[in-house]
Amino acid sequence: MADLAVYLAAAVLLVFAGHRLWTTRGDGADPAQRHVAGFAWCLGTALLFNARATLDAVSRLLPRHYADLLVTHELKTAALTFLVLVAHALTASERDPDAARRRRRRQLLIAGAVQAGSAVLFLLAAVTTDAGRDVLRADRGWALAAYNAVFACYGCFCLLVLVRALARHARRTTSQPLRAGLRMMMLAAASGALWTLWAFNDVASDLSRGEQGLGEDLVSAVLGAVTALLATGGATTSLWGGRLTAPLRWLRARRTYRALEPLWAELHSVLPEIALDGPAAVWRRGPRHAEFALYRRVIEIRDAHLALRPHQEPGLPEEVVRALARAAGPEDAFDRHAVVEAAVIAAALEHKRADRPHEAVPARGGAGGAPVPLPRTVEAEAAWLLEVTAAFTRSATVAGVRARARARAAHPVPSSE
């Protein structure tokens, strides 16, 4: 069972490393991607050496304890160093290029010192293999314990540097798939930290008995597999993220489409010409068209808003703002700018029904006459119209404005000549 988990993690990492190296070939490739490929290759190879079946095969060429400890730990240390280089590449644009190069050289020197010191501690421990009991014995258990502790501490340091860089990068990015990938990479780093800290289980065994088990135990193998899957998944989010999140986007678009129905239906009853297609036609095409249907609905609502401009009441936004200032309780649940827009639409609808045009007014205004910034995306505009729909259907202030507009439309005040 442990070997199966180890081979699965190794296969995922090595295939991923090959894919990254193939896609990042050339002079203009992102160095961070090459460092990720180096990490995957080193860690995947280390896991192959850690599997008991592999140890049995290479023991004819190399002493078992050298393959199980020295080779695998050196490869894992190199993999952790690549993670720090990834972190430096992510933050290189924020720093002076010369300072970034100095930091990279310093990190490589630290990595070289850690690997050389680990090799010295391993040789000093005088490790031998007890094949009958499937364990490694050390004449100097403290040296083997220090060897494992150095690896665990260096690994946690590298992962901490990576998590800080990923968190900073995730806060700045606006792309949902990229943010999801970065968060998955942060989870991979957390899982990797647990995997690295599991080495202290061997430290305790080295100090108490002067021995530790051969190969990866089940806990370590499972943590390695989880780390490999999270890391490769996060690094390839751009390939699979859109396909997996598409059904969620369709459902969200359909839900938003339905939620805008009350506002759209009211506008459509007065301005039927805004409909670009039959209301049910888009759903006969399947859920994939939900996002297009939502986009169309937003356009139709905005077309109706423009068509109602000649019927909007001058000064109504300021009147609604004053009414909101006096109101309390349930009205606090609504966005005040949305209440203003909903009230303007409600009054204009009543005047349109009575065919009472007014002098043209600005297309969109906020509280106190201040304009509300127009959203830049369909998603943002749909979210805004959801706020307007909620105020349009449930706000007492909007209901009052509608009632007064209906009364004025039914009993117009004659103008004095």
Side-chain angles (χ1 to χ4, degrees):
M1 178 63 183
D3 270 5
L4 179 61
V6 171
Y7 281 129
L8 172 63
V12 169
L13 286 166
L14 291 174
V15 170
F16 171 72
H19 175 266
R20 287 289 93 178
L21 288 173
W22 175 260
T23 56
T24 57
R25 65 190 187 281
D27 296 334
D30 183 2
Q33 294 295 327
R34 292 180 177 175
H35 297 326
V36 168
F39 159 77
W41 186 88
C42 289
L43 189 55
T45 307
L47 288 176
L48 282 180
F49 273 93
N50 255 156
R52 294 177 186 274
T54 306
L55 289 174
D56 292 338
V58 301
S59 60
R60 302 168 186 169
L61 303 175
L62 188 69
R64 192 181 182 103
H65 52 278
Y66 277 86
D68 182 53
L69 276 187
L70 187 59
V71 174
T72 58
H73 272 219
E74 295 295 294
L75 284 169
K76 288 178 182 178
T77 302
L80 292 165
T81 301
F82 274 116
L83 289 184
V84 181
L85 295 178
V86 170
H88 290 338
L90 289 175
T91 58
S93 60
E94 305 171 3
R95 304 177 184 278
D96 179 69
D98 292 334
R101 281 193 292 271
R102 288 195 297 271
R103 284 169 58 84
R104 193 161 50 246
R105 284 197 298 268
R106 185 166 64 249
Q107 181 59 45
L108 291 174
L109 289 174
I110 293 172
V114 168
Q115 291 190 281
S118 296
V120 170
L121 287 170
F122 178 80
L123 296 175
L124 188 62
V127 177
T128 56
T129 303
D130 187 344
R133 297 174 53 221
D134 204 25
V135 298
L136 298 171
R137 292 191 56 82
D139 291 346
R140 302 177 183 88
W142 62 266
L144 187 57
Y147 171 79
N148 287 313
V150 166
F151 168 76
C153 293
Y154 179 71
C156 287
F157 162 75
C158 294
L159 291 165
L160 176 61
V161 172
L162 178 65
V163 166
R164 290 180 59 189
L166 291 175
R168 191 181 304 118
H169 213 55
R171 285 194 298 269
R172 293 197 310 268
T173 185
T174 58
S175 168
Q176 281 295 117
L178 180 57
R179 187 183 295 115
L182 290 170
R183 288 174 178 170
M184 192 173 291
M185 290 290 287
M186 292 172 66
L187 287 176
S191 175
L194 292 176
W195 185 24
T196 303
L197 289 172
W198 189 249
F200 280 103
N201 182 55
D202 290 331
V203 171
S205 179
D206 295 334
L207 293 175
S208 61
R209 300 191 304 273
E211 62 184 35
Q212 67 183 59
L214 278 168
E216 295 274 1
D217 59 22
L218 183 58
V219 173
S220 181
V222 170
L223 288 172
V226 170
T227 301
L229 291 172
L230 288 173
T232 54
T236 57
T237 306
S238 59
L239 300 178
W240 56 261
R243 296 181 179 89
L244 289 184
T245 58
L248 295 177
R249 293 200 314 271
W250 298 338
L251 290 173
R252 186 163 56 247
R254 185 185 180 98
R255 186 171 62 248
T256 304
Y257 181 95
R258 294 300 188 193
L260 293 176
E261 183 77 23
L263 177 61
W264 180 88
E266 190 82 15
L267 293 167
H268 182 261
S269 67
V270 176
L271 299 163
E273 63 272 17
I274 66 171
L276 303 176
D277 198 356
V282 70
W283 302 119
R284 289 198 295 268
R285 303 172 191 166
R288 293 186 179 185
H289 293 269
E291 291 176 293
F292 172 73
L294 177 61
Y295 169 75
R296 192 192 65 179
R297 173 142 290 183
V298 168
I299 295 299
E300 290 172 349
I301 291 174
R302 282 303 167 208
D303 284 347
H305 199 175
L306 291 174
L308 289 173
R309 285 186 63 189
H311 302 275
Q312 293 176 13
E313 293 185 21
L316 180 60
E318 290 75 13
E319 180 184 333
V320 174
V321 169
R322 290 192 294 270
L324 287 173
R326 296 190 299 268
E331 291 301 288
D332 294 337
F334 305 106
D335 183 289
R336 296 203 164 202
H337 294 301
V339 174
V340 171
E341 182 161 327
V344 168
I345 292 173
L349 280 171
E350 298 303 326
H351 295 308
K352 170 64 177 174
R353 286 191 179 99
D355 196 19
R356 288 189 60 207
H358 287 272
E359 183 182 352
V361 294
R364 189 173 185 174
V372 178
L374 288 169
R376 297 181 180 180
T377 64
V378 175
E379 292 80 6
E381 179 69 10
W384 168 252
L385 289 177
L386 284 177
E387 297 278 356
V388 175
T389 302
F392 186 83
T393 55
R394 301 198 302 271
S395 169
T397 301
V398 174
V401 168
R402 182 183 298 180
R404 289 195 300 274
R406 186 179 296 124
R408 290 172 187 169
H411 305 286
V413 178
S415 57
S416 57
E417 296 293 340

